């Protein structure tokens, strides 16, 4: 049985975020703003259906999907691209693959204790974020 990701999570660390944003070709002004943000995650996890909301004072991003079902993702809230996305469980990790113009793009979520871990990947850049459940 996959882990339960339900809850409200507050960011406690964010490593290598600028390199990840550079790999996505995010412009320098947006990168500078984003580096000061500590977004929260609000996750509703019901069976194979997940809604992951990334909330900040600058921009919000909502991802609504079913595990194992490919869909077109509009990343206009992130880097103004679209891609074909699929999310699957690999053991206790939720793994996303985003196919589009950015090579090696995707992410992995997993839980350790009361912490939610997120690894973001694009063009070989890896960002590691950790959130604490509130």
């Amino acid at each position: 049985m996959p882990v339960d990701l339900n809850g409200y999570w507050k960011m406690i660390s964010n490593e290598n975020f600028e390199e990840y944003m550079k790999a996505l070709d995010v412009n320098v002004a947006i990168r500078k703003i984003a580096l000061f943000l500590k977004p929260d995650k609000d996750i509703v996890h019901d069976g194979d259906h997940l809604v992951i909301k990334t909330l900040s004072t600058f921009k919000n991003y909502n991802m609504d999907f079913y595990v194992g079902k490919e869909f077109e993702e509009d990343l206009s809230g992130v880097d103004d691209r679209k891609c074909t996305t699929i999310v699957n469980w690999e053991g206790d990790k939720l793994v996303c693959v985003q196919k589009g113009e950015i090579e090696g793009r995707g992410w992995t979520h997993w839980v350790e204790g009361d912490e939610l871990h997120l690894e973001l990947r694009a063009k070989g850049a890896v960002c590691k974020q950790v959130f604490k459940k509130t």
Side-chain angles (χ1 to χ4, degrees):
M1 184 75 185
V3 297
D4 181 4
L5 299 174
N6 276 302
Y8 197 88
W9 308 83
K10 291 201 153 289
M11 179 180 276
I12 58 174
S13 70
N14 189 6
E15 297 175 20
N16 209 35
F17 190 48
E18 186 163 24
E19 292 306 311
Y20 171 74
M21 290 189 292
K22 284 179 184 177
L24 295 177
D25 299 321
V26 173
N27 79 55
V28 69
I30 300 295
R31 287 199 320 260
K32 296 299 177 196
I33 293 167
L35 286 173
F36 286 104
L37 301 175
K38 285 194 160 196
D40 297 337
K41 296 276 185 188
D42 187 9
I43 301 177
V44 176
H45 178 184
D46 183 17
D48 284 340
H49 181 228
L50 283 96
V51 178
I52 301 174
K53 296 178 183 177
T54 303
L55 309 168
S56 77
T57 54
F58 182 63
K59 281 187 179 181
N60 296 329
Y61 181 71
N62 296 331
M63 188 174 185
D64 187 333
F65 62 93
Y66 287 87
V67 174
K69 292 189 179 181
E70 193 171 78
F71 62 98
E72 184 174 316
E73 185 176 5
D74 182 352
L75 294 157
S76 57
V78 181
D79 65 339
D80 298 325
R81 290 187 173 89
K82 291 187 179 186
C83 61
T84 302
T85 300
I86 189 160
V87 182
N88 286 300
W89 287 107
E90 291 183 13
D92 285 343
K93 293 184 176 185
L94 193 61
V95 178
C96 172
V97 174
Q98 298 166 312
K99 297 176 190 167
E101 61 187 87
I102 301 291
E103 180 184 326
R105 185 173 188 169
W107 52 259
T108 302
H109 265 304
W110 69 97
V111 174
E112 290 178 14
D114 64 348
E115 293 180 346
L116 174 71
H117 292 257
L118 173 59
E119 181 181 278
L120 299 159
R121 299 174 300 277
K123 289 185 184 171
V126 178
C127 170
K128 294 184 179 182
Q129 299 179 340
V130 181
F131 301 81
K132 188 106 170 157
K133 194 168 196 174
T134 61

